[in-house]
Amino acid sequence: MNVVAALAITFVFIGCCSNVVFLELVVKEDPGAGNLVTFLQFLFIAFVGFCTVGKFGTAERNIPFRKYLLLVAFFWTSSVANNYAFDFNISMPLHMIFRAGSLMANMAMGVWILKKRYPPLKYLAVFMISAGIAICTIQSSGEVKAPRERHEDALEEERLQFIDWLWWCLGIAILTFALFVSARMGIFQESLYSKYGKHPWEALYYAHLLPLVFWVPTAPNIIEHLKIAMETPCMEVLGLSVPRQVVWLVLYVVTQGLCISAVYVLTTECASLIVTLTVTLRKFVSLLFSIVYFRNPFTLGHWFGTLLVFIGTMIFTELLQKFVALFLPAEKDKKKKE
Protein backbone atom coordinates (compact mmCIF):
# COMPACT_ATOMS: atom_id res chain seq x y z
CA MET A 1 0.00 0.00 0.00
CA ASN A 2 1.45 3.35 -1.04
CA VAL A 3 1.39 6.64 0.86
CA VAL A 4 -1.51 8.04 -1.19
CA ALA A 5 -3.68 5.01 -0.40
CA ALA A 6 -2.83 5.20 3.30
CA LEU A 7 -3.73 8.90 3.37
CA ALA A 8 -6.97 8.19 1.49
CA ILE A 9 -7.99 5.56 4.07
CA THR A 10 -7.13 7.97 6.88
CA PHE A 11 -9.22 10.76 5.36
CA VAL A 12 -12.14 8.40 4.68
CA PHE A 13 -12.35 7.77 8.42
CA ILE A 14 -11.68 11.40 9.38
CA GLY A 15 -13.95 12.95 6.73
CA CYS A 16 -16.84 10.48 6.64
CA CYS A 17 -17.03 9.77 10.39
CA SER A 18 -16.83 13.44 11.36
CA ASN A 19 -19.40 14.22 8.65
CA VAL A 20 -21.93 11.92 10.35
CA VAL A 21 -21.17 13.58 13.70
CA PHE A 22 -21.78 17.09 12.36
CA LEU A 23 -24.96 15.96 10.61
CA GLU A 24 -26.29 14.60 13.89
CA LEU A 25 -25.40 17.86 15.65
CA VAL A 26 -27.32 19.78 12.97
CA VAL A 27 -30.34 17.48 13.20
CA LYS A 28 -30.42 17.56 17.00
CA GLU A 29 -30.42 21.37 16.87
CA ASP A 30 -33.11 21.50 14.16
CA PRO A 31 -34.75 18.21 13.01
CA GLY A 32 -36.38 19.99 10.06
CA ALA A 33 -33.09 21.22 8.55
CA GLY A 34 -32.96 18.44 5.93
CA ASN A 35 -33.60 20.72 2.94
CA LEU A 36 -31.07 23.29 4.15
CA VAL A 37 -28.38 20.64 4.74
CA THR A 38 -28.89 19.03 1.32
CA PHE A 39 -28.98 22.39 -0.50
CA LEU A 40 -25.70 23.52 1.09
CA GLN A 41 -24.10 20.18 0.24
CA PHE A 42 -25.16 20.50 -3.41
CA LEU A 43 -24.08 24.15 -3.60
CA PHE A 44 -20.60 23.49 -2.16
CA ILE A 45 -19.79 20.48 -4.36
CA ALA A 46 -21.20 22.25 -7.44
CA PHE A 47 -19.02 25.31 -6.75
CA VAL A 48 -15.86 23.24 -6.27
CA GLY A 49 -16.71 21.19 -9.38
CA PHE A 50 -17.29 24.35 -11.42
CA CYS A 51 -13.77 25.54 -10.56
CA THR A 52 -12.05 22.16 -11.07
CA VAL A 53 -13.96 19.73 -13.31
CA GLY A 54 -15.92 22.37 -15.23
CA LYS A 55 -12.91 24.71 -15.53
CA PHE A 56 -15.21 27.71 -15.04
CA GLY A 57 -17.61 26.55 -17.73
CA THR A 58 -15.04 25.89 -20.47
CA ALA A 59 -14.64 22.09 -20.16
CA GLU A 60 -16.38 19.77 -22.63
CA ARG A 61 -18.66 17.02 -21.33
CA ASN A 62 -17.82 13.35 -21.89
CA ILE A 63 -21.43 12.27 -21.29
CA PRO A 64 -24.37 13.93 -23.13
CA PHE A 65 -26.33 16.56 -21.22
CA ARG A 66 -29.69 14.78 -21.63
CA LYS A 67 -28.27 11.66 -19.97
CA TYR A 68 -27.32 13.72 -16.94
CA LEU A 69 -30.90 14.97 -16.55
CA LEU A 70 -32.17 11.51 -15.59
CA LEU A 71 -29.14 10.87 -13.35
CA VAL A 72 -29.82 14.20 -11.61
CA ALA A 73 -33.47 13.28 -11.04
CA PHE A 74 -32.44 10.04 -9.29
CA PHE A 75 -29.64 11.64 -7.26
CA TRP A 76 -31.62 14.69 -6.12
CA THR A 77 -34.64 12.61 -5.11
CA SER A 78 -32.62 10.12 -3.04
CA SER A 79 -30.51 12.84 -1.35
CA VAL A 80 -33.52 14.97 -0.40
CA ALA A 81 -35.51 11.97 0.82
CA ASN A 82 -32.64 10.67 2.98
CA ASN A 83 -32.10 14.00 4.75
CA TYR A 84 -35.82 14.87 4.93
CA ALA A 85 -36.50 11.63 6.84
CA PHE A 86 -34.98 13.19 9.98
CA ASP A 87 -38.08 15.37 10.22
CA PHE A 88 -40.16 12.24 10.92
CA ASN A 89 -38.68 11.10 14.27
CA ILE A 90 -35.98 8.92 12.65
CA SER A 91 -32.92 8.47 14.86
CA MET A 92 -29.40 8.71 13.45
CA PRO A 93 -28.43 5.05 14.24
CA LEU A 94 -31.57 3.73 12.48
CA HIS A 95 -30.85 6.06 9.55
CA MET A 96 -27.30 4.67 9.21
CA ILE A 97 -28.49 1.05 9.46
CA PHE A 98 -31.05 1.68 6.73
CA ARG A 99 -28.40 3.24 4.49
CA ALA A 100 -26.30 0.09 4.99
CA GLY A 101 -29.11 -1.83 3.27
CA SER A 102 -28.15 -0.39 -0.12
CA LEU A 103 -26.78 -3.77 -1.24
CA MET A 104 -30.18 -5.33 -0.67
CA ALA A 105 -31.86 -2.68 -2.82
CA ASN A 106 -29.19 -3.00 -5.53
CA MET A 107 -29.70 -6.75 -5.73
CA ALA A 108 -33.49 -6.40 -5.87
CA MET A 109 -33.20 -3.85 -8.68
CA GLY A 110 -30.70 -6.07 -10.51
CA VAL A 111 -33.06 -9.05 -10.40
CA TRP A 112 -36.09 -6.95 -11.41
CA ILE A 113 -34.62 -4.69 -14.12
CA LEU A 114 -31.51 -6.47 -15.40
CA LYS A 115 -32.88 -10.01 -14.83
CA LYS A 116 -29.68 -10.97 -13.03
CA ARG A 117 -29.20 -14.22 -11.14
CA TYR A 118 -27.02 -14.51 -8.05
CA PRO A 119 -25.39 -17.45 -6.22
CA PRO A 120 -27.22 -18.77 -3.11
CA LEU A 121 -24.71 -17.13 -0.76
CA LYS A 122 -25.70 -13.69 -2.10
CA TYR A 123 -29.37 -14.38 -1.36
CA LEU A 124 -28.41 -15.49 2.15
CA ALA A 125 -26.49 -12.23 2.63
CA VAL A 126 -29.46 -10.15 1.47
CA PHE A 127 -31.77 -12.10 3.77
CA MET A 128 -29.45 -11.34 6.71
CA ILE A 129 -29.34 -7.62 5.79
CA SER A 130 -33.13 -7.47 5.43
CA ALA A 131 -33.67 -9.32 8.72
CA GLY A 132 -31.18 -7.04 10.50
CA ILE A 133 -32.90 -3.88 9.25
CA ALA A 134 -36.33 -5.31 10.16
CA ILE A 135 -35.18 -6.16 13.71
CA CYS A 136 -33.68 -2.68 14.23
CA THR A 137 -36.82 -1.05 12.85
CA ILE A 138 -39.12 -3.07 15.14
CA GLN A 139 -36.90 -2.28 18.14
CA SER A 140 -36.97 1.44 17.29
CA SER A 141 -40.75 1.53 16.80
CA GLY A 142 -41.31 1.39 20.55
CA GLU A 143 -39.01 4.34 21.20
CA VAL A 144 -40.61 6.95 18.94
CA LYS A 145 -40.58 10.32 20.67
CA ALA A 146 -41.21 13.63 18.99
CA PRO A 147 -39.74 16.80 20.55
CA ARG A 148 -42.84 18.29 22.23
CA GLU A 149 -44.30 19.03 25.64
CA ARG A 150 -46.00 16.19 27.44
CA HIS A 151 -49.69 16.38 28.37
CA GLU A 152 -51.19 15.43 31.70
CA ASP A 153 -54.33 14.05 30.01
CA ALA A 154 -53.65 10.32 29.45
CA LEU A 155 -55.98 10.04 26.45
CA GLU A 156 -54.47 13.10 24.79
CA GLU A 157 -50.96 11.79 25.47
CA GLU A 158 -51.89 8.43 23.93
CA ARG A 159 -53.36 10.14 20.86
CA LEU A 160 -50.21 12.23 20.37
CA GLN A 161 -48.00 9.15 20.73
CA PHE A 162 -50.03 7.42 18.03
CA ILE A 163 -49.57 10.45 15.75
CA ASP A 164 -45.82 10.37 16.47
CA TRP A 165 -45.78 6.69 15.51
CA LEU A 166 -47.61 7.40 12.23
CA TRP A 167 -45.06 10.13 11.37
CA TRP A 168 -42.26 7.67 12.19
CA CYS A 169 -43.81 5.08 9.83
CA LEU A 170 -43.87 7.73 7.12
CA GLY A 171 -40.18 8.37 7.80
CA ILE A 172 -39.45 4.64 7.38
CA ALA A 173 -41.35 4.68 4.08
CA ILE A 174 -39.31 7.68 2.89
CA LEU A 175 -36.03 5.94 3.79
CA THR A 176 -37.13 2.78 1.95
CA PHE A 177 -38.11 4.82 -1.10
CA ALA A 178 -34.74 6.62 -1.05
CA LEU A 179 -32.92 3.29 -0.79
CA PHE A 180 -34.49 1.92 -3.98
CA VAL A 181 -34.17 5.20 -5.89
CA SER A 182 -30.45 5.20 -5.05
CA ALA A 183 -30.17 1.59 -6.24
CA ARG A 184 -31.91 2.46 -9.52
CA MET A 185 -29.49 5.36 -9.94
CA GLY A 186 -26.57 2.94 -9.51
CA ILE A 187 -27.85 0.75 -12.35
CA PHE A 188 -28.28 3.81 -14.57
CA GLN A 189 -24.73 4.97 -13.74
CA GLU A 190 -23.37 1.55 -14.73
CA SER A 191 -25.08 1.81 -18.11
CA LEU A 192 -23.66 5.33 -18.63
CA TYR A 193 -20.11 4.30 -17.71
CA SER A 194 -20.24 1.20 -19.92
CA LYS A 195 -21.31 3.32 -22.92
CA TYR A 196 -19.34 6.55 -22.42
CA GLY A 197 -16.49 5.45 -20.13
CA LYS A 198 -15.95 6.18 -16.44
CA HIS A 199 -16.07 9.88 -15.58
CA PRO A 200 -17.06 9.90 -11.87
CA TRP A 201 -15.81 13.43 -11.12
CA GLU A 202 -17.79 14.84 -14.05
CA ALA A 203 -20.90 12.90 -13.01
CA LEU A 204 -20.52 14.10 -9.42
CA TYR A 205 -20.19 17.71 -10.60
CA TYR A 206 -23.27 17.70 -12.85
CA ALA A 207 -25.31 15.67 -10.36
CA HIS A 208 -24.86 18.54 -7.88
CA LEU A 209 -24.92 21.48 -10.30
CA LEU A 210 -28.06 20.78 -12.36
CA PRO A 211 -30.44 20.15 -9.41
CA LEU A 212 -29.77 23.61 -7.92
CA VAL A 213 -32.77 24.93 -9.86
CA PHE A 214 -34.97 22.35 -8.08
CA TRP A 215 -34.41 24.21 -4.82
CA VAL A 216 -36.32 27.31 -5.97
CA PRO A 217 -39.75 26.00 -4.79
CA THR A 218 -38.24 25.07 -1.40
CA ALA A 219 -36.61 28.49 -0.90
CA PRO A 220 -39.07 29.55 1.87
CA ASN A 221 -38.28 26.38 3.84
CA ILE A 222 -34.52 26.83 3.37
CA ILE A 223 -34.69 30.51 4.44
CA GLU A 224 -36.81 29.61 7.48
CA HIS A 225 -34.30 27.05 8.75
CA LEU A 226 -31.39 29.34 7.91
CA LYS A 227 -32.99 31.92 10.20
CA ILE A 228 -33.32 29.24 12.90
CA ALA A 229 -29.61 28.48 12.45
CA MET A 230 -28.71 32.17 12.80
CA GLU A 231 -30.71 32.42 16.04
CA THR A 232 -28.94 29.54 17.83
CA PRO A 233 -26.54 30.35 20.71
CA CYS A 234 -23.14 31.63 19.60
CA MET A 235 -19.78 29.99 20.12
CA GLU A 236 -16.24 31.34 19.76
CA VAL A 237 -14.48 30.36 16.51
CA LEU A 238 -11.06 31.91 15.83
CA GLY A 239 -11.96 34.86 18.03
CA LEU A 240 -15.32 35.40 16.32
CA SER A 241 -18.78 34.83 17.78
CA VAL A 242 -20.66 32.55 15.36
CA PRO A 243 -24.10 30.91 15.76
CA ARG A 244 -23.59 27.29 16.81
CA GLN A 245 -25.78 25.81 14.07
CA VAL A 246 -23.90 27.78 11.40
CA VAL A 247 -20.64 26.22 12.62
CA TRP A 248 -22.13 22.71 12.43
CA LEU A 249 -23.49 23.38 8.92
CA VAL A 250 -20.15 24.66 7.61
CA LEU A 251 -18.26 21.72 9.13
CA TYR A 252 -20.82 19.28 7.73
CA VAL A 253 -20.47 20.65 4.19
CA VAL A 254 -16.64 20.70 4.31
CA THR A 255 -16.34 17.18 5.74
CA GLN A 256 -18.87 15.91 3.16
CA GLY A 257 -16.59 17.17 0.40
CA LEU A 258 -13.57 15.61 2.12
CA CYS A 259 -15.41 12.29 2.51
CA ILE A 260 -16.42 12.06 -1.16
CA SER A 261 -12.93 13.05 -2.37
CA ALA A 262 -11.19 10.52 -0.11
CA VAL A 263 -13.45 7.66 -1.25
CA TYR A 264 -12.79 8.57 -4.90
CA VAL A 265 -9.00 8.60 -4.39
CA LEU A 266 -9.24 5.28 -2.54
CA THR A 267 -11.06 3.63 -5.49
CA THR A 268 -8.27 4.73 -7.84
CA GLU A 269 -5.43 3.58 -5.56
CA CYS A 270 -6.68 0.33 -3.98
CA ALA A 271 -8.32 -2.95 -4.87
CA SER A 272 -12.08 -3.25 -4.35
CA LEU A 273 -11.48 -5.49 -1.31
CA ILE A 274 -9.67 -2.67 0.53
CA VAL A 275 -12.27 -0.10 -0.53
CA THR A 276 -15.17 -2.28 0.67
CA LEU A 277 -13.44 -3.07 3.95
CA THR A 278 -12.67 0.61 4.60
CA VAL A 279 -16.21 1.83 3.83
CA THR A 280 -17.81 -0.97 5.89
CA LEU A 281 -15.58 -0.31 8.90
CA ARG A 282 -16.22 3.43 8.56
CA LYS A 283 -19.97 2.89 8.77
CA PHE A 284 -19.58 0.69 11.84
CA VAL A 285 -17.30 3.22 13.59
CA SER A 286 -19.79 6.02 12.82
CA LEU A 287 -22.61 3.96 14.25
CA LEU A 288 -20.68 3.17 17.44
CA PHE A 289 -19.73 6.83 17.91
CA SER A 290 -23.34 7.93 17.45
CA ILE A 291 -24.52 5.44 20.07
CA VAL A 292 -21.82 6.20 22.65
CA TYR A 293 -21.24 9.96 22.25
CA PHE A 294 -24.83 11.04 21.58
CA ARG A 295 -26.28 8.38 23.90
CA ASN A 296 -28.82 7.22 21.35
CA PRO A 297 -30.99 4.34 22.62
CA PHE A 298 -29.57 1.02 21.44
CA THR A 299 -30.91 -2.26 22.83
CA LEU A 300 -29.65 -5.83 22.56
CA GLY A 301 -32.07 -6.26 19.64
CA HIS A 302 -30.45 -3.30 17.88
CA TRP A 303 -27.00 -4.85 18.32
CA PHE A 304 -28.21 -8.20 16.94
CA GLY A 305 -29.82 -6.51 13.94
CA THR A 306 -26.72 -4.40 13.29
CA LEU A 307 -24.52 -7.49 13.45
CA LEU A 308 -26.72 -9.21 10.86
CA VAL A 309 -26.51 -6.17 8.56
CA PHE A 310 -22.73 -5.91 8.70
CA ILE A 311 -22.05 -9.66 8.42
CA GLY A 312 -24.51 -9.83 5.52
CA THR A 313 -22.73 -6.91 3.86
CA MET A 314 -19.34 -8.62 4.25
CA ILE A 315 -20.72 -11.86 2.76
CA PHE A 316 -22.41 -10.07 -0.15
CA THR A 317 -19.26 -8.16 -1.10
CA GLU A 318 -17.27 -11.41 -0.65
CA LEU A 319 -15.13 -9.69 1.95
CA LEU A 320 -15.65 -12.48 4.50
CA GLN A 321 -14.96 -15.21 1.94
CA LYS A 322 -11.71 -13.55 0.85
CA PHE A 323 -10.54 -13.23 4.44
CA VAL A 324 -11.24 -16.92 5.02
CA ALA A 325 -9.44 -17.79 1.78
CA LEU A 326 -6.31 -16.01 3.06
CA PHE A 327 -5.91 -18.71 5.71
CA LEU A 328 -6.97 -21.73 3.65
CA PRO A 329 -3.87 -21.87 1.40
CA ALA A 330 -1.66 -21.86 4.48
CA GLU A 331 -3.57 -24.83 5.88
CA LYS A 332 -3.29 -26.75 2.57
CA ASP A 333 0.47 -26.11 2.35
CA LYS A 334 0.87 -27.29 5.91
CA LYS A 335 -0.90 -30.57 5.12
CA LYS A 336 1.23 -31.13 2.00
CA LYS A 337 4.44 -30.68 3.99
CA GLU A 338 3.22 -33.21 6.54
Side-chain angles (χ1 to χ4, degrees):
M1 184 182 296
N2 57 38
V3 176
V4 175
L7 286 174
I9 292 173
T10 302
F11 281 109
V12 165
F13 278 92
I14 293 174
C16 299
C17 291
S18 59
N19 181 249
V20 172
V21 171
F22 293 128
L23 176 60
E24 185 154 5
L25 288 169
V26 168
V27 170
K28 282 187 177 295
E29 194 79 54
D30 179 13
N35 279 339
L36 175 61
V37 166
T38 315
F39 169 71
L40 292 176
Q41 170 194 330
F42 274 61
L43 185 64
F44 177 74
I45 294 178
F47 175 75
V48 173
F50 179 74
C51 299
T52 55
V53 179
K55 297 178 181 177
F56 300 96
T58 61
E60 293 185 3
R61 286 185 299 274
N62 294 289
I63 298 175
F65 182 78
R66 55 189 172 81
K67 295 292 184 180
Y68 276 127
L69 293 179
L70 187 54
L71 178 65
V72 162
F74 285 132
F75 184 67
W76 185 83
T77 302
S78 64
S79 297
V80 170
N82 273 316
N83 284 337
Y84 194 58
F86 289 116
D87 206 20
F88 295 87
N89 306 329
I90 300 296
S91 68
M92 181 62 76
L94 183 60
H95 191 276
M96 284 190 281
I97 292 167
F98 246 88
R99 295 290 293 274
S102 57
L103 290 174
M104 172 193 67
N106 287 338
M107 182 176 179
M109 283 292 181
V111 172
W112 180 36
I113 296 175
L114 303 178
K115 309 301 180 184
K116 286 185 177 181
R117 291 294 178 266
Y118 297 89
L121 207 56
K122 297 275 188 181
Y123 289 104
L124 173 63
V126 166
F127 174 76
M128 292 175 68
I129 294 170
S130 304
I133 291 174
I135 290 170
C136 289
T137 304
I138 292 169
Q139 288 291 316
S140 298
S141 65
E143 302 166 356
V144 180
K145 293 179 181 178
R148 56 174 171 77
E149 294 181 1
R150 302 191 68 83
H151 290 255
E152 295 181 1
D153 189 334
L155 289 176
E156 178 66 11
E157 180 66 26
E158 187 175 338
R159 185 184 72 83
L160 291 174
Q161 286 181 351
F162 179 70
I163 292 173
D164 292 343
W165 181 78
L166 287 178
W167 280 110
W168 177 84
C169 289
L170 181 57
I172 293 295
I174 290 172
L175 280 178
T176 305
F177 170 74
L179 202 63
F180 283 93
V181 170
S182 180
R184 182 64 184 88
M185 180 184 72
I187 292 174
F188 183 67
Q189 276 182 307
E190 283 184 23
S191 67
L192 283 183
Y193 291 159
S194 63
K195 187 175 182 179
Y196 300 102
K198 291 186 177 182
H199 306 283
W201 278 122
E202 180 183 288
L204 183 68
Y205 165 50
Y206 281 103
H208 286 82
L209 175 69
L210 298 181
L212 290 178
V213 68
F214 295 167
W215 295 104
V216 175
T218 65
N221 178 269
I222 292 173
I223 293 171
E224 176 190 349
H225 288 282
L226 187 59
K227 288 179 179 177
I228 293 173
M230 296 299 293
E231 292 170 358
T232 54
C234 293
M235 58 189 298
E236 291 292 325
V237 179
L238 301 175
L240 300 174
S241 184
V242 185
R244 183 171 61 202
Q245 182 75 328
V246 172
V247 176
W248 302 148
L249 286 168
V250 170
L251 289 173
Y252 167 77
V253 169
V254 172
T255 53
Q256 176 74 0
L258 179 62
C259 174
I260 292 174
S261 301
V263 171
Y264 172 76
V265 172
L266 189 63
T267 58
T268 60
E269 293 291 332
C270 296
S272 59
L273 175 65
I274 301 297
V275 176
T276 304
L277 175 61
T278 303
V279 173
T280 303
L281 287 176
R282 191 279 300 171
K283 289 179 180 178
F284 193 67
V285 170
S286 297
L287 180 63
L288 288 177
F289 191 87
S290 177
I291 295 164
V292 175
Y293 183 78
F294 291 101
R295 298 180 181 178
N296 285 307
F298 218 73
T299 64
L300 186 61
H302 283 103
W303 282 113
F304 180 65
T306 302
L307 192 64
L308 283 177
V309 169
F310 279 97
I311 292 178
T313 300
M314 293 179 75
I315 292 174
F316 189 93
T317 55
E318 299 182 3
L319 194 60
L320 198 60
Q321 296 92 306
K322 288 177 180 177
F323 269 121
V324 172
L326 290 176
F327 298 97
L328 289 180
E331 290 293 328
K332 290 179 182 178
D333 292 341
K334 186 178 180 181
K335 288 179 180 180
K336 285 181 181 179
K337 288 179 180 180
E338 292 175 353

Coordinates of all heavy atoms in Angstrom, one line a residue, residues 16-52:
C16 N -15.5 11.1 6.6 CA -16.8 10.5 6.6 C -17.4 10.3 8.1 O -18.6 10.6 8.3 CB -16.8 9.1 5.9 SG -16.3 9.2 4.2
C17 N -16.5 9.9 9.0 CA -17.0 9.8 10.4 C -17.4 11.1 11.0 O -18.4 11.3 11.7 CB -16.0 9.1 11.2 SG -15.7 7.3 10.8
S18 N -16.5 12.1 10.8 CA -16.8 13.4 11.4 C -18.0 14.1 10.7 O -18.8 14.8 11.3 CB -15.6 14.4 11.2 OG -15.2 14.5 9.9
N19 N -18.2 13.7 9.4 CA -19.4 14.2 8.7 C -20.7 13.7 9.3 O -21.7 14.5 9.4 CB -19.3 13.8 7.2 CG -20.5 14.3 6.4 OD1 -21.3 13.5 5.9 ND2 -20.6 15.5 6.1
V20 N -20.7 12.5 9.7 CA -21.9 11.9 10.4 C -22.2 12.6 11.7 O -23.3 12.9 12.1 CB -21.8 10.4 10.5 CG1 -22.9 9.8 11.4 CG2 -21.7 9.7 9.2
V21 N -21.1 12.9 12.4 CA -21.2 13.6 13.7 C -21.8 15.0 13.5 O -22.7 15.4 14.2 CB -19.8 13.7 14.4 CG1 -19.9 14.6 15.6 CG2 -19.3 12.3 14.7
F22 N -21.3 15.7 12.6 CA -21.8 17.1 12.4 C -23.2 17.1 11.8 O -24.0 18.0 12.2 CB -20.9 17.9 11.4 CG -19.5 18.1 12.0 CD1 -18.4 17.8 11.3 CD2 -19.4 18.7 13.2 CE1 -17.1 18.0 11.8 CE2 -18.1 19.0 13.8 CZ -17.0 18.6 13.1
L23 N -23.6 16.1 11.1 CA -25.0 16.0 10.6 C -25.9 15.7 11.8 O -27.0 16.3 11.9 CB -25.1 14.8 9.6 CG -26.5 14.5 9.1 CD1 -27.1 15.7 8.4 CD2 -26.5 13.3 8.1
E24 N -25.4 14.9 12.7 CA -26.3 14.6 13.9 C -26.4 15.8 14.8 O -27.5 16.1 15.3 CB -25.7 13.4 14.7 CG -26.6 13.0 15.9 CD -26.5 11.6 16.3 OE1 -25.6 10.9 15.7 OE2 -27.2 11.1 17.1
L25 N -25.3 16.6 14.9 CA -25.4 17.9 15.7 C -26.4 18.8 15.0 O -27.2 19.5 15.7 CB -24.0 18.5 15.7 CG -23.0 17.8 16.6 CD1 -21.6 18.4 16.4 CD2 -23.4 18.0 18.1
V26 N -26.4 18.9 13.7 CA -27.3 19.8 13.0 C -28.7 19.3 13.2 O -29.6 20.1 13.5 CB -27.0 19.8 11.4 CG1 -28.1 20.4 10.7 CG2 -25.7 20.5 11.2
V27 N -29.0 18.0 13.1 CA -30.3 17.5 13.2 C -30.9 17.6 14.6 O -32.1 17.9 14.8 CB -30.4 16.0 12.7 CG1 -31.7 15.3 13.1 CG2 -30.1 15.9 11.2
K28 N -30.0 17.4 15.6 CA -30.4 17.6 17.0 C -30.8 19.0 17.3 O -31.7 19.3 18.1 CB -29.3 17.1 18.0 CG -29.2 15.6 18.1 CD -28.3 15.1 19.1 CE -28.2 13.6 19.3 NZ -29.5 13.1 19.8
E29 N -30.1 20.0 16.7 CA -30.4 21.4 16.9 C -31.7 21.7 16.2 O -32.5 22.5 16.7 CB -29.3 22.2 16.3 CG -29.3 23.7 16.7 CD -28.7 23.9 18.1 OE1 -27.6 23.5 18.4 OE2 -29.5 24.5 18.9
D30 N -31.9 21.2 15.0 CA -33.1 21.5 14.2 C -33.5 20.3 13.3 O -32.9 20.1 12.2 CB -32.8 22.7 13.3 CG -34.0 23.1 12.4 OD1 -35.1 22.6 12.6 OD2 -33.8 23.9 11.5
P31 N -34.4 19.4 13.8 CA -34.7 18.2 13.0 C -35.3 18.5 11.6 O -35.2 17.6 10.7 CB -35.8 17.6 13.9 CG -35.6 18.1 15.2 CD -35.1 19.5 15.0
G32 N -35.8 19.7 11.4 CA -36.4 20.0 10.1 C -35.4 20.6 9.1 O -35.8 21.1 8.0
A33 N -34.1 20.5 9.4 CA -33.1 21.2 8.6 C -32.6 20.4 7.4 O -31.6 20.7 6.7 CB -31.9 21.6 9.4
G34 N -33.4 19.3 7.0 CA -33.0 18.4 5.9 C -32.8 19.1 4.6 O -31.8 18.9 3.9
N35 N -33.7 20.0 4.2 CA -33.6 20.7 2.9 C -32.4 21.7 2.9 O -31.7 21.8 1.9 CB -34.9 21.5 2.7 CG -36.0 20.6 2.1 OD1 -35.7 19.6 1.5 ND2 -37.2 21.1 2.2
L36 N -32.2 22.4 4.0 CA -31.1 23.3 4.1 C -29.7 22.5 4.0 O -28.8 23.0 3.3 CB -31.1 24.1 5.5 CG -30.0 25.0 5.8 CD1 -29.9 26.1 4.7 CD2 -30.1 25.6 7.2
V37 N -29.6 21.4 4.7 CA -28.4 20.6 4.7 C -28.1 20.1 3.3 O -26.9 20.3 2.8 CB -28.5 19.4 5.7 CG1 -27.4 18.4 5.5 CG2 -28.5 19.9 7.2
T38 N -29.1 19.6 2.7 CA -28.9 19.0 1.3 C -28.6 20.1 0.3 O -27.7 20.0 -0.6 CB -30.1 18.3 0.9 OG1 -30.6 17.4 1.9 CG2 -29.8 17.4 -0.3
F39 N -29.2 21.3 0.4 CA -29.0 22.4 -0.5 C -27.5 22.9 -0.4 O -26.8 23.1 -1.4 CB -29.9 23.5 -0.2 CG -29.6 24.8 -0.9 CD1 -29.7 24.9 -2.3 CD2 -29.1 25.9 -0.2 CE1 -29.4 26.1 -3.0 CE2 -28.7 27.1 -0.9 CZ -28.9 27.2 -2.3
L40 N -27.1 23.1 0.9 CA -25.7 23.5 1.1 C -24.7 22.5 0.6 O -23.6 22.9 0.0 CB -25.5 23.8 2.6 CG -26.2 25.0 3.2 CD1 -26.0 25.1 4.7 CD2 -25.8 26.3 2.5
Q41 N -25.0 21.2 0.7 CA -24.1 20.2 0.2 C -24.0 20.3 -1.3 O -22.9 20.2 -1.8 CB -24.6 18.8 0.7 CG -24.0 17.6 0.0 CD -24.8 16.3 0.2 OE1 -25.5 16.2 1.2 NE2 -24.7 15.4 -0.8
F42 N -25.1 20.4 -2.0 CA -25.2 20.5 -3.4 C -24.4 21.8 -3.9 O -23.7 21.7 -4.8 CB -26.6 20.5 -3.9 CG -27.2 19.2 -4.1 CD1 -27.3 18.3 -3.1 CD2 -27.6 18.8 -5.4 CE1 -27.9 17.0 -3.3 CE2 -28.2 17.5 -5.6 CZ -28.3 16.6 -4.5
L43 N -24.7 22.9 -3.2 CA -24.1 24.1 -3.6 C -22.6 24.1 -3.5 O -21.8 24.6 -4.4 CB -24.6 25.3 -2.7 CG -24.2 26.7 -3.1 CD1 -24.7 27.1 -4.5 CD2 -24.7 27.7 -2.1
F44 N -22.0 23.6 -2.4 CA -20.6 23.5 -2.2 C -19.9 22.6 -3.2 O -18.9 23.0 -3.8 CB -20.3 23.0 -0.7 CG -18.9 22.8 -0.4 CD1 -18.1 23.9 -0.2 CD2 -18.3 21.5 -0.4 CE1 -16.7 23.7 0.1 CE2 -17.0 21.3 -0.1 CZ -16.2 22.5 0.2
I45 N -20.4 21.4 -3.4 CA -19.8 20.5 -4.4 C -19.9 21.0 -5.8 O -19.0 20.9 -6.6 CB -20.4 19.1 -4.2 CG1 -20.1 18.5 -2.8 CG2 -19.9 18.1 -5.3 CD1 -20.6 17.1 -2.6
A46 N -21.0 21.7 -6.1 CA -21.2 22.3 -7.4 C -20.2 23.4 -7.7 O -19.6 23.5 -8.8 CB -22.6 22.8 -7.6
F47 N -20.0 24.2 -6.6 CA -19.0 25.3 -6.7 C -17.6 24.8 -6.9 O -16.9 25.3 -7.8 CB -19.1 26.2 -5.5 CG -18.1 27.3 -5.5 CD1 -18.2 28.4 -6.3 CD2 -16.9 27.2 -4.7 CE1 -17.2 29.4 -6.3 CE2 -16.0 28.2 -4.6 CZ -16.1 29.3 -5.4
V48 N -17.2 23.8 -6.1 CA -15.9 23.2 -6.3 C -15.7 22.6 -7.6 O -14.7 22.7 -8.3 CB -15.6 22.2 -5.1 CG1 -14.3 21.5 -5.4 CG2 -15.6 22.9 -3.8
G49 N -16.8 21.8 -8.1 CA -16.7 21.2 -9.4 C -16.6 22.2 -10.5 O -16.0 21.9 -11.5
F50 N -17.3 23.3 -10.4 CA -17.3 24.4 -11.4 C -15.9 24.9 -11.6 O -15.4 25.2 -12.7 CB -18.2 25.5 -11.0 CG -18.3 26.6 -12.0 CD1 -18.9 26.5 -13.3 CD2 -17.7 27.8 -11.8 CE1 -18.9 27.5 -14.2 CE2 -17.7 28.9 -12.7 CZ -18.3 28.7 -13.9
C51 N -15.1 25.0 -10.5 CA -13.8 25.5 -10.6 C -12.8 24.5 -11.0 O -11.7 24.8 -11.6 CB -13.4 26.1 -9.2 SG -14.4 27.4 -8.6
T52 N -13.0 23.2 -10.8 CA -12.1 22.2 -11.1 C -12.5 21.4 -12.3 O -11.8 21.5 -13.4 CB -11.9 21.2 -9.9 OG1 -13.2 20.7 -9.5 CG2 -11.3 21.9 -8.7

